[in-house]
Amino acid sequence: MSDVEFIGTTKVYDDGTVALDALDLTVREGEFLVLLGPSGCGKSTALRLLAGLEDITRGEIRIGGSRVNDLPPGARGLGMVFQSYALYPHMTVRANLAFGLRRGRGDARVDAEEISARVEEAAELLDLHKWLEKKPRELSGGQQQRVAIGRALVRRPKVLLMDEPLSNLDAKLRNRMRFELRRLHEAHGTTTLYVTHDQVEAMTLADRVAILSEGRLQQSSKPLEAYHRPANSFVASFLGTPAMNLIEGAAKGGIFTAGELSFALPEHLAGRDGPGIFGIRPEDVRILDNGDSGGSPGDVPCRVGGVEHLGSDTVYHLEAGGNWIRALRRRTADQAQGTAGGQDREVRVSLAVPAALIFEE
Ligand code: ADP
């Protein structure tokens, strides 16, 4: 068994910083779980506690059902890949891959035949055959990172830990490696805990994503569920580019009011009363064409404050009763969608859409 359980796991550093606050989270056997959140939210701390590189202040961590709080790092059966590849520059790729296995003692000792078989297997999986006799400096950043991953895999870890492993690569390589990491996971199925602040990595790699803010778990769910049904306004604003529109105000009798802005709520939210945060993703804001028959109570008159042309997308920044609303228009094959025209135009948008949400916090 190689599931990982954080049970009320808390880390308070000596200076009083609560880096991780009573984390309850299970990474299931064979699962690829991504810990996601802004810088400083406690992701790396969670990983370091699991790896045994820091002491746990309260709570516990179990691997395969056994408490590991007091186990030294080397006895936890983990493989680790970090942002820096830290390969041995004077050794060939083959020797780098084999290094951890040669050092093994006792049960961890692996004979020469087995070492060579595992190196071959990793080279095959990671497409490193051509590079086995080269030194790291002869390899690109992406190839070096693949060697670093291979070095972790040859040890057959029960759990693979990765901390921002792609952040030193350029954008193109990052995209490719992301795809390869997912393929690799499907091939070897090792339980994986992956730390990143990059929502695209999280959305594309994760079986499940656990979102942290200020040391606290906000939501753990399938990535698309977190996107479509965020647990609170933090998750809502963290996932998605451009970010979800969040309008603070109050609902009463099917009408939402925020300052001078007032509009009818969509049917599924019409029963909500009291203060709340109305959330709508930019792609769900409907810009009504002048030709549309208008005047529905869900319509909001806006002024176009700015337009960003991003090629496939256009982002409109719309001002409505003292609130800013972002609307995203995706270019479609038939170009049938309406546009908001240029700066300072007056337009109407509809916010009364089925995908709209109201958050309490
Ligand atoms: P993340 O990986 O999400 O960027 P970290 O887990 O590294 O965040 O840090 C979480 C919080 O703990 C931050 O506020 C950070 O400043 C603090 N922190 C991390 N390491 C230490 C340390 N050794 N001593 C004191 N505070 C620390």
Side-chain angles (χ1 to χ4, degrees), residues 11-20 35-48 54 163-164 195-197 212 214-215:
K11 176 67 184 179
V12 184
Y13 284 107
D14 291 343
D15 64 359
T17 305
V18 183
L20 203 62
L35 272 180
L36 174 70
S39 174
C41 72
K43 310 178 293 291
S44 300
T45 297
L47 214 63
R48 288 202 301 268
E54 303 270 5
D163 194 348
E164 308 258 4
V195 161
T196 184
H197 64 274
L212 290 175
E214 297 179 359

